[in-house]
Structures are given as structure tokens and as C-alpha cells.
Amino acid sequence: MDIKGIDLKNLDVVEIEQLRSLWKAKGIEKQKDSISSIQKITREHWLPVSYGQQRLWFLTQLDGDASLAYHIPFALHLHGPLSTSVLRRSLNAVWARHEALRTILSSSEGQPYAELLPSEMGMPLIEHDLRHVANAGQHLDHVCKEAAHKCFDLSRGPLIRGHLIHLSDCEYIFILIQHHIISDGWSIGVIIRDLDILYRAFRQGEADPLPTLEIQYPDYAAWQRQWFTSDRFSIQADYWRRILTDAPILSTLPTDRPRPPQQSFDGARVSVQLDASLTQGLKHLSQKHGTTLFMTLMAAWAAVLMRLSGQHDLVIGTPTANRNRTEVEPLAGFFVNVLALRIDLSGDPTLAELLVRVRQAILAAQDHQDLPFEKVVEIAQPPRSLSYTPLFQVMFAWQNNEHGTFDLADLRAEPFDIAFDHVKFDLELHLHENDGIVAGVLNYATALFDAATIERHKGYLLAMLRAMVADAAQSVSRIDLIAPAERTLLLETWNQTEAPYPHDLCIH
């Protein structure tokens, strides 16, 4: 169970106790929510949308390309005797179980509302047979790219689809593509776990063993809007209004090209991986300074951004699962919220001092995480532009929500990577821990950055992390981030301005 929205599954005992002590000291130990429980609403009329759904719907109306940036691709490489008929039946049961997956969005007088597609319609599953195709690898890349990039029609749906690619009689690629307006990262885990249970049961000739869901996503959307009549709205609104007053409007991070007048969502990525030794060192550092690994990584990322941009006042976005109520934990749907973390790097702090500042900023933001990002933007009222996102342009996502497993008795599965070349922000750092190693990707907008630039940014981040482990008493501004090869390039190669003097010239 989460404490104030921070997922504790991947924290050790020391980290958990440190967090509990911090919250107790601040007088904000988790208490029973005073807001009424989520109640079921009638399905006889138009259904409400959540504030997150409303924002994505408006973005799609303004710029259709933005919709593609909000596709969520997920894929598994399956090995074994897969029963496609049982898989299809299991997917249809998941489709019928979660109303969010059957949602489409229509509009009236410029405002969106939700409708549900019939439960008996079933989830789309498109099969591709590459078993006897020459150059199967090339065709596989094409099918994966086409699957991830095919646009959804929000008003017609479905907004989820599956693809099953037959590579051999016992080898498959299973792809699930969803629009973010009906789903999020946590939901992928929910879907895969449900699919696992259903496939096992149906394969053995048993009935659907999953318990009935108490509520559905439309019930949550209605409750969320009722929440705004509570006193907690005012409390949280006051916090965000205060914390974002006079916040920087735009990151001054140097780019390789001028920012286009309208934001481009075309992107690329580079892989990021910390070795086991560095990961372990960061864990020890976190325990010593009373932070989580997420907080420590955020501090390093902020320090790098400060060094690159020269800004000592940064706003960095970070997603939070927003699953603080037990009723919504087993639901698929768009629950995730985004927090705008304002980080103070003024006064040339040491790394240890920065860790304290970041920890305080994150805990305070988490304690006010219920206010939807859309409302935070309305409260902060930043200048709006088509060329960049409001409040922040850089994201850091610590992905500690597990997607579950699909290891059936006669079927083995492993994650399959689908290259997806779209971004929502200028820079997006996505990290997670797996088997004692922190790894992930650094996504970037290709309209602004070259790959070589992002590779250097990755190098700076690794250098900052190593410096933190080596000596947290160092000043952030004095840490050497430049690798020897780059230093030689900057100080020597590019400074060789000598030119041969033409001997045949005469001065009269």
C-alpha cells in the first residue's frame, strides 16, 4: 500500500522507516480520507470524463499530432504453445471487465463526455503471420512501427487494440496499444495480471475467476469532480498557487536548433544504465541522507540541468500513480497525475544540501498530489504558447510500478522493446530498478536536440551520480562533469586556431 502516494514496493526497510519518521515529524501521518467513498453512478445518461481525460481531449482537438504522442505501447515476446483462441477469449473478458477500456469520447457544445462501447463487442486483436515470410525481421519492424503509430479516433474507438505476430509455431510477439486517455502505466500491470489469471483459467476449461469490480472508471470521474466541492481543494490549490508563484516559465537549456513556433512531438532516445556498483552506492547514499532512490536521482538530474542551463530555479515534472484509494487499485484507467516540482539550487549548495531540498520539495508535492495537473495549470496561469508545454518542459519518471508477469505453465514471456519515436516534452528521463541495476531511457525532442548532445547529457548525469557517491559534501557547481575526451575537444582541438602564414605574400 502506498504512503502519501509514494509506492513502497521497491524501498527497503530503512527507507520506509525514514519516510515514516519524516511524515510523523511533519504531522502528516496518513489518516482516513475524510472525503466520501466513491459511489456508482447511473449509466443511463452521458458519463463524465476525468480532468485528465478532458485535457487530453482538448489537446487532440488543437493538434491531432499530439494524440500520437499519447499512445502507450506494450509488448511481450512469447515462447511456447500459445492458444490464440484462449488469448482472444481472455482479451475479450478484460475488455468486458474494465469500462475504461471500452470508453470513447464525444462532445456537446465544445465539452467532452464519455460513452461506453458494448461489452460483447470484444477487444480488437489483429493477427500477423510471418512464419513463412522472407526477411521476417524487417517485416516485424514494419508491423511493430505501424501498430504503434496507427492513430485512434477518440469519438469512434476502440481506444485499445492488440496485435499478435506469429514468428513460428511456438514464438510470438504480442503487442498492446492504448491511448493514454483510457489508460496509464499502472493499468498495464492491471491488464496483464487479469489476462494472466483469465488465460490460465480458460485454458483449463474453468470459468472467469476474477471478482466483480466494486466501481468503474466513470464512477471515479464523477467522484473526482465532486471532490472539488470539498475543503481539501482550497488547501491544495493554495499550496500550488504559492509554490509556483514567479516560477520560471521556460527552461533555458541550450538546444541545437531554435525552438519551432509550434511544438513538435517527434522524438528519439538513448539508453541509460547504471552499473550494480553505482546503483548500490546510490542506495547507501540515500539511506545516509534520509532520501529514497527516486529523490537522489531527481537531485542529480536537477543538478545537471542547472549546470547546463545556468538556471538555479527549476521546475521538473514527475508522474505519480494517483492510486491513493483502495477502490481504484484494481481498475484500468487514466489515473496518473503529474506534479510540478520546483527545486531551489540557489546559493551554491553542496550535494548533501541539495538532497535535503529535493526531499522536502517531493514530500510537500506528494502531500498535495490530489489536485489534477490541469487545475494546477489553471491556478498558476503561466503564459501559454504552442511552442512548449506549460509549467515545465523536462520530465523525470521513476517507474516502480510492476507490469506483472505472463509466465503461464506452458508459455514463457519476456519484455519486447518497441521503438516509439514521439515525446511529450523537450527531455524525458525514464528510469527504473531491475535486479539491482538502475536503467532506462532519455527521450528527447529531435526538433531541438541532436543525438550527440543527448549522449553528452547522459554522460553528465552519470558523472554527477558518481560524484554524489564519492563525496556528497562537494558543491554542485564545482563537480567536474566533462569526460577527458570531451575536455580535450573543447580546450585543445576546437581552440587550434593557428593557420599557416602564406610566405609568398609581400608587405609594401
Side-chain angles (χ1 to χ4, degrees):
M1 186 65 185
D2 292 357
I3 294 181
K4 305 308 289 184
I6 296 179
D7 193 343
L8 303 181
K9 295 194 297 295
N10 291 338
L11 304 185
D12 57 34
V13 174
V14 174
E15 289 177 310
I16 294 172
E17 290 306 316
Q18 287 171 339
L19 280 176
R20 285 174 175 157
S21 297
L22 285 167
W23 279 311
K24 187 174 182 180
K26 289 170 64 68
I28 54 174
E29 275 287 3
K30 188 172 184 181
Q31 299 175 355
K32 181 176 178 62
D33 198 333
S34 60
I35 304 174
S36 61
S37 60
I38 302 174
Q39 302 294 326
K40 293 188 72 68
I41 62 173
T42 179
R43 299 299 192 266
E44 296 177 359
H45 308 292
W46 293 347
L47 299 174
V49 298
S50 68
Y51 286 107
Q53 287 181 317
Q54 181 174 301
R55 176 173 62 91
L56 291 195
W57 183 85
F58 278 120
L59 285 175
T60 303
Q61 309 312 303
L62 291 172
D63 184 357
D65 291 339
S67 183
L68 190 59
Y70 287 95
H71 284 194
I72 304 178
F74 175 77
L76 291 171
H77 194 173
L78 305 178
H79 305 266
L82 173 70
S83 171
T84 55
S85 61
V86 173
L87 175 63
R88 190 178 293 273
R89 182 185 173 192
S90 303
L91 288 170
N92 289 342
V94 170
W95 164 272
R97 176 176 174 79
H98 295 281
E99 288 185 357
L101 305 182
R102 298 189 275 117
T103 297
I104 58 174
L105 279 79
S106 302
S107 64
S108 175
E109 299 181 352
Q111 294 296 321
Y113 63 89
E115 295 182 282
L116 300 179
L117 295 174
S119 59
E120 61 273 13
M121 177 177 172
M123 186 184 301
L125 178 63
I126 304 167
E127 295 192 54
H128 311 264
D129 192 347
L130 303 183
R131 284 175 290 186
H132 307 292
V133 175
N135 301 319
Q138 183 177 350
H139 282 82
L140 175 61
D141 292 341
H142 175 74
V143 170
C144 291
K145 184 175 182 178
E146 188 177 65
H149 288 77
K150 184 179 179 181
C151 291
F152 291 104
D153 185 335
L154 298 187
S155 64
R156 297 184 61 185
L159 304 183
I160 181 174
R161 58 175 176 264
H163 293 261
L164 184 64
I165 306 170
H166 298 250
L167 300 178
S168 72
D169 290 341
C170 290
E171 184 181 5
Y172 310 82
I173 302 296
F174 172 64
I175 304 174
L176 199 62
I177 308 292
Q178 305 172 82
H179 196 286
H180 198 2
I181 210 163
I182 65 163
S183 187
D184 57 20
W186 181 299
S187 298
I188 295 176
V190 171
I191 293 170
I192 294 301
R193 283 191 293 272
D194 286 357
L195 197 58
D196 187 354
I197 294 171
L198 291 164
Y199 185 92
R200 289 175 181 270
F202 294 162
R203 188 67 186 266
Q204 297 172 5
E206 299 172 357
D208 182 344
L210 292 171
T212 302
L213 294 171
E214 297 179 10
I215 61 166
Q216 291 282 350
Y217 191 83
D219 306 314
Y220 164 79
W223 172 87
Q224 186 192 51
R225 293 180 177 274
Q226 293 172 356
W227 184 88
F228 279 84
T229 64
S230 71
D231 293 338
R232 293 196 64 183
F233 170 75
S234 298
I235 295 172
Q236 299 213 7
D238 289 344
Y239 167 80
W240 289 110
R241 186 179 295 108
R242 174 177 56 83
I243 207 69
L244 294 174
T245 297
D246 300 325
I249 297 169
L250 181 64
S251 168
T252 59
L253 197 67
T255 60
D256 295 306
R257 284 167 292 282
R259 186 179 295 276
Q262 184 163 347
Q263 183 180 5
S264 170
F265 298 95
D266 293 336
R269 63 182 178 175
V270 298
S271 298
V272 179
Q273 182 166 312
L274 283 58
D275 58 37
S277 176
L278 180 55
T279 300
Q280 192 61 35
L282 291 169
K283 288 183 176 181
H284 288 155
L285 177 72
S286 301
Q287 292 175 359
K288 181 178 179 180
H289 291 273
T291 60
T292 64
L293 189 54
F294 162 62
M295 294 174 181
T296 301
L297 292 166
M298 174 66 82
W301 184 227
V304 170
L305 294 173
M306 183 273 285
R307 292 284 299 272
L308 289 171
S309 67
Q311 287 178 293
H312 294 79
D313 185 4
L314 299 175
V315 181
I316 301 174
T318 189
T320 180
N322 199 28
R323 302 264 185 161
N324 298 326
R325 303 186 65 92
T326 56
E327 305 103 308
V328 304
E329 289 182 0
L331 294 182
F334 180 20
F335 293 93
V336 66
N337 197 13
V338 179
L339 304 180
L341 298 178
R342 189 172 183 180
I343 300 176
D344 175 18
L345 292 104
S346 63
D348 196 17
T350 65
L351 289 166
E353 290 169 343
L354 179 59
L355 285 171
V356 173
R357 295 182 188 183
V358 169
R359 179 186 64 195
Q360 292 173 343
I362 291 176
L363 288 176
Q366 290 281 359
D367 196 39
H368 299 86
Q369 67 175 296
D370 296 322
L371 198 66
F373 178 71
E374 301 71 37
K375 291 299 177 183
V376 173
V377 174
E378 290 179 13
I379 290 167
Q381 294 185 336
R384 305 304 288 267
S385 172
L386 294 176
S387 65
Y388 55 84
T389 53
L391 295 185
F392 58 84
Q393 296 80 46
V394 178
M395 168 76 75
F396 173 44
W398 176 242
Q399 300 169 326
N400 58 356
N401 52 306
E402 299 176 2
H403 284 161
T405 61
F406 198 66
D407 296 326
L408 310 186
D410 54 357
L411 192 65
R412 179 171 56 87
E414 54 198 22
F416 183 79
D417 186 36
I418 296 181
F420 189 60
D421 53 1
H422 280 75
V423 294
K424 306 177 188 69
F425 304 96
D426 296 353
L427 286 177
E428 303 171 356
L429 179 61
H430 297 262
L431 296 177
H432 63 275
E433 184 189 358
N434 187 32
D435 295 331
I437 291 177
V438 171
V441 294
L442 181 53
N443 297 336
Y444 61 96
T446 53
L448 301 177
F449 300 102
D450 293 330
T453 299
I454 303 304
E455 287 286 354
R456 288 196 297 272
H457 290 179
K458 179 181 75 172
Y460 300 153
L461 175 61
L462 294 176
M464 183 65 72
L465 291 169
R466 295 188 189 102
M468 295 177 77
V469 171
D471 182 9
Q474 298 179 81
S475 168
V476 171
S477 66
R478 295 182 178 275
I479 294 171
D480 188 1
L481 300 181
I482 300 177
E486 185 180 355
R487 181 176 298 278
T488 300
L489 179 67
L490 293 174
L491 300 182
E492 298 179 18
T493 305
W494 288 352
N495 277 326
Q496 292 178 356
T497 57
E498 300 89 349
Y501 189 81
H503 297 289
D504 57 343
L505 292 180
C506 295
I507 300 176
H508 300 283

